[in-house]
Amino acid sequence: MGEPGDRPADATNAFETVSGTGTETAPENRTADAYEHPSGTETETATAGAFEHASASETADAFDAESAKELSPEAVDVYGRVTRHEPIDPGRDARALGELRRWGLVITDPHLPHLPIALDPQEAGRRRLDEELRRMAARAALAARIPQLTDELGLHFERAKWRSGRGSEFLGEAELVNARIEQAVGRARAELLTAQPGGPRTGAQRAAAEERDGAALARGVHVRSLYLDTGRDDATTRAFVRTMTGRGAQFRTQVTQFQRCVVIDRRQAFISDHVVNSAPGHASWHVRDRAVVAFIAEVFEECWRRADPWHGDPHSESPRSAGPDGTRTTLLQREILRDMARGIEQRLTAQRLGIGLRSLSKEVRALRQLFGASTLQELTYQWALSDERLIDDRPPHPGRASA
């Protein structure tokens, strides 16, 4: 048995000597290979297990702050000394040894702390590269998630600002929208403007609207309401309009689509939501900014000027748009013919006018009979030659119309 510092004949004998006696012997080549091929003794197996456990612990620490740093020159120097079997001071070289262990470049026997064993740098480098790539992938996934996360959190933050702001407030729940409108209309003193481009009213909606608007009319509030021209075909809506017209309200219908709004005394308004993409269809904004409310009211007035008066009569009895003497087409028919002349699909025209494809086809058949055209191309040609194409259906003047 050699003295401390002597070199044994081979790595296996050196391992057996160190393990069996505890003598501090420096092996010829203390590498991981010496422990990957143990001699089979129980002592060797236990010691190898201790090294594997230590290595696993060090690998678990690979993601701490120190592991993100490049290997220091001191650690490189100590690794070279380890491979050359030069003496290592566990106290003075502790920091460098810690770096080497985190990189998986050395392992240390707790009983022989001054004799660390060098590991293959290529294998350690591959493990380190895998760890860094996994870390980069995790960080890239987090970076990709940040915009979506901030958008989700920003929605809550913006809603908090909307609710606390003075200009406008977002209302996402249907019950809240209805309650807020009821409250605002209940306090109206001069004027109530409503634009309703939706479908026909139900019986419950009609009863609620009659009570609300009837109370406003009783207080002397001037009530005007705008509907789509297709509302004339609904019996419930016609009955509502006839009843409210008898109480002093005014109604008009428009062929083309318009935006939903409720304006009270030109001081506050309710409009549909066009900001929150994920909001339900009934979501609304309660607007109190005087300039914005005035703009909304003027948009309503522009639609009101081009709309046809309605007293609850059926669609077949509705008055035709004003035009030169002998005008044969209605405003709806002229809108259809203008889209046909532009080459717009009938599906898009029906959607824009708020009517079904069957109703549009019915109007087209009537127009073909009116102009004596056997095909759509001939109808478009006849329309291009007609004086009625020159009828101006825009508002007659930019000023505010009186009710």
Side-chain angles (χ1 to χ4, degrees), residues 46-350:
T47 305
F51 289 155
E52 290 173 359
H53 178 73
S55 177
S57 300
E58 296 300 337
T59 303
D61 295 334
F63 290 93
D64 61 13
E66 291 294 330
S67 67
K69 297 180 181 179
E70 187 176 345
L71 199 64
S72 67
E74 292 79 11
V76 174
D77 177 68
V78 169
Y79 183 80
R81 288 159 53 193
V82 170
T83 60
R84 294 190 300 271
H85 313 298
E86 297 178 2
I88 302 297
D89 187 338
R92 184 184 61 192
D93 298 323
R95 184 179 182 84
L97 286 171
E99 289 187 55
L100 293 173
R101 283 194 296 268
R102 283 190 292 272
W103 276 72
L105 289 168
V106 298
I107 56 176
T108 305
D109 184 348
H111 301 292
L112 302 172
H114 63 290
L115 295 176
I117 302 173
L119 301 177
D120 184 358
Q122 296 296 329
E123 180 64 25
R126 285 192 291 270
R127 289 196 300 267
R128 179 74 177 200
L129 179 59
D130 289 342
E131 293 170 1
E132 292 296 333
L133 290 175
R134 285 194 295 269
R135 184 188 305 175
M136 291 172 59
R139 289 180 176 175
L142 174 61
R145 175 91 171 99
I146 287 175
Q148 179 181 355
L149 179 62
T150 54
D151 285 345
E152 293 175 0
L153 298 178
L155 179 59
H156 297 288
F157 181 73
E158 291 298 327
R159 282 181 174 176
K161 292 198 301 184
W162 297 334
R163 292 184 181 278
S164 61
R166 299 182 59 185
S168 58
E169 178 182 0
F170 176 75
L171 307 175
E173 297 77 19
E175 296 78 9
L176 181 58
V177 174
N178 293 332
R180 193 65 65 83
I181 292 177
E182 292 288 340
Q183 182 184 42
V185 174
R187 296 177 180 176
R189 291 294 176 266
E191 184 182 53
L192 172 61
L193 310 176
T194 63
Q196 303 290 346
R201 290 180 179 270
T202 64
Q205 290 173 332
R206 172 190 170 183
E210 282 187 9
E211 181 178 357
R212 181 195 67 195
D213 295 357
L217 289 167
R219 295 194 307 271
V221 177
H222 185 40
V223 178
R224 285 186 287 160
S225 298
L226 184 65
Y227 289 89
L228 279 174
D229 192 66
T230 52
R232 296 174 181 258
D233 297 325
D234 180 65
T236 301
T237 306
R238 289 201 303 268
F240 169 76
V241 171
R242 285 195 297 268
T243 299
M244 300 308 295
T245 299
R247 298 184 184 182
Q250 296 186 31
F251 297 87
R252 291 190 181 185
T253 61
Q254 180 173 299
V255 173
T256 56
Q257 279 283 354
F258 50 85
Q259 291 296 319
R260 184 190 309 275
C261 71
V262 178
V263 184
I264 300 97
D265 292 340
R266 299 185 185 254
R267 292 181 175 272
Q268 55 182 323
F270 295 85
I271 59 176
S272 299
D273 170 63
H274 297 282
V275 177
V276 184
N277 295 330
S278 59
H282 56 254
S284 301
W285 286 80
H286 187 183
V287 183
R288 298 182 181 87
D289 185 282
R290 294 294 296 276
V292 177
V293 173
F295 179 82
I296 296 170
E298 186 56 35
V299 172
F300 175 90
E301 294 290 356
E302 182 176 352
C303 293
W304 184 263
R305 287 191 290 268
R306 72 169 67 211
D308 295 324
W310 187 30
H311 304 286
D313 45 303
H315 191 277
S316 58
E317 302 173 13
S318 60
R320 301 196 173 199
S321 300
D325 293 339
T327 298
R328 300 182 298 169
T329 57
T330 65
L331 175 58
L332 174 63
Q333 291 174 336
R334 290 196 293 276
E335 290 287 347
I336 293 173
L337 288 167
R338 287 171 184 138
D339 278 7
M340 289 179 60
R342 298 186 187 104
I344 298 175
E345 296 181 21
Q346 291 188 1
R347 174 180 58 84
L348 299 178
T349 299

Side-chain angles (χ1 to χ4, degrees), residues 322 338 388-395:
R338 287 171 184 138
E388 295 192 23
R389 78 184 191 284
L390 303 176
I391 296 177
D392 188 358
D393 291 316
R394 294 175 299 177

Side-chain angles (χ1 to χ4, degrees), residues 15 38 41-53 109:
F15 179 73
T41 64
E42 295 180 359
T43 306
E44 292 170 356
T45 303
T47 305
F51 289 155
E52 290 173 359
H53 178 73
D109 184 348

